């Protein structure tokens, strides 16, 4: 299996950090241009995953699924800031792509079910009594949490083969659950927001960098 170019991964990581920092420093602007940098940061790992697809002649379903997932995440980055529910829906499509890719690498087994139940239960406990405070968003959040837990479980199931994918999925799981905390209490610190973005961009980078390990 081609494990990709270390130089490409390093360049992807540096550019993701650069564009992500530009977005973070300007995210409170009333103008919309910072959103372009938010999406651009996600597009750097996407480019790496696309290169893996290209080098494999677009024959590897895992690479293609991960690249497709990253593409939808880049689109969702912008939508999430414009219309939260729409952004969540597009992120969900991205997770479906990641899930399909990971299941093609490690077919469904008992491990998947155990991981899923543990992750989904932890997610529900994490939100606890605050979930009803979101009103009409409560059901979409629960459904999204189930899908996120399924994707993360599938990534954990491929751990021996691609530890980066497992680490990336866990960071995605953590980042998305942290985002929901902002629905309950919007006045979180800049440090909290920074960690949400760091976990998210690291998650995308790890998932995309792992594409060539399959």
């Amino acid at each position: 299996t081609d494990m990709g170019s270390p130089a490409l991964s390093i360049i992807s990581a540096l550019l993701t950090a650069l564009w992500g920092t530009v977005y973070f420093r300007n995210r409170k602007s009333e103008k919309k241009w910072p959103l372009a940098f938010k999406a651009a940061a996600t597009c750097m790992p996407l480019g790496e995953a696309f290169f893996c697809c290209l080098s494999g002649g677009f024959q590897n379903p895992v690479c293609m699924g991960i690249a497709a997932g990253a593409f939808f995440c880049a689109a969702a980055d912008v939508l999430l800031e414009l219309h939260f529910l729409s952004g969540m829906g597009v992120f969900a499509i991205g997770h479906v792509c990641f899930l399909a890719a990971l299941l093609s690498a490690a077919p469904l087994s008992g491990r998947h079910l155990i991981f899923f139940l543990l992750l989904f239960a932890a997610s529900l406990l994490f939100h606890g009594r605050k979930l009803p405070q979101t009103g009409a968003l409560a059901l979409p959040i629960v459904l999204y949490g189930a899908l996120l837990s399924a994707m993360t479980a599938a990534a954990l199931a491929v751990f021996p083969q691609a530890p980066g994918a497992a680490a990336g999925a866990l960071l995605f799981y953590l980042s998305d659950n942290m985002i929901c905390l902002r629905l309950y209490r919007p006045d979180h610190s800049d440090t909290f927001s920074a960690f949400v973005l760091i976990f998210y961009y690291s998650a995308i980078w790890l998932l995309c960098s792992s594409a060539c390990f399959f």
Side-chain angles (χ1 to χ4, degrees):
T1 302
D2 179 15
M3 294 170 63
S5 165
L8 183 62
S9 291
I10 292 169
I11 293 170
S12 167
L14 290 174
L15 289 175
T16 298
L18 175 61
W19 303 142
T21 300
V22 172
Y23 164 71
F24 180 76
R25 291 175 65 89
N26 296 279
R27 72 192 191 286
K28 294 180 181 179
S29 169
E30 293 182 1
K31 298 181 180 179
K32 301 299 182 186
W33 67 263
L35 294 179
F37 287 93
K38 188 182 186 191
T42 303
C43 285
M44 298 303 102
L46 166 58
E48 185 180 355
F50 180 80
F51 178 80
C52 289
C53 294
L54 185 64
S55 63
F58 295 95
Q59 299 298 312
N60 188 328
V62 183
C63 287
M64 292 176 67
I66 288 175
F71 171 80
F72 284 110
C73 287
D77 279 337
V78 176
L79 279 173
L80 197 69
E81 303 297 332
L82 301 176
H83 188 268
F84 185 82
L85 198 56
S86 298
M88 183 189 293
V90 176
F91 263 123
I93 296 172
H95 286 310
V96 169
C97 294
F98 289 138
L99 177 60
L102 294 164
L103 286 177
S104 66
L108 199 60
S109 68
R111 286 186 304 166
H112 289 80
L113 180 60
I114 293 170
F115 288 142
F116 168 75
L117 291 175
L118 289 172
L119 289 162
F120 190 43
S123 178
L124 292 176
L125 287 172
F126 177 79
H127 296 291
R129 296 177 182 176
K130 295 181 179 179
L131 188 60
Q133 296 176 16
T134 60
L137 282 175
L139 180 58
I141 288 173
V142 171
L143 294 176
Y144 182 88
L147 179 58
L148 179 64
S149 298
M151 186 279 289
T152 308
L156 290 175
V158 299
F159 173 75
Q161 183 180 2
L170 282 171
L171 284 172
F172 220 138
Y173 175 86
L174 181 59
S175 173
D176 278 2
N177 278 293
M178 287 173 70
I179 285 174
C180 285
L181 286 180
R182 292 193 299 199
L183 295 175
Y184 313 136
R185 201 183 74 189
D187 58 340
H188 282 288
S189 66
D190 286 347
T191 302
F192 178 87
S193 298
F195 274 105
V196 169
L197 283 176
I198 290 169
F199 291 157
Y200 166 66
Y201 286 130
S202 297
I204 292 289
W205 182 81
L206 284 165
L207 282 164
C208 289
S209 296
S210 71
C212 287
F213 282 76
F214 294 98

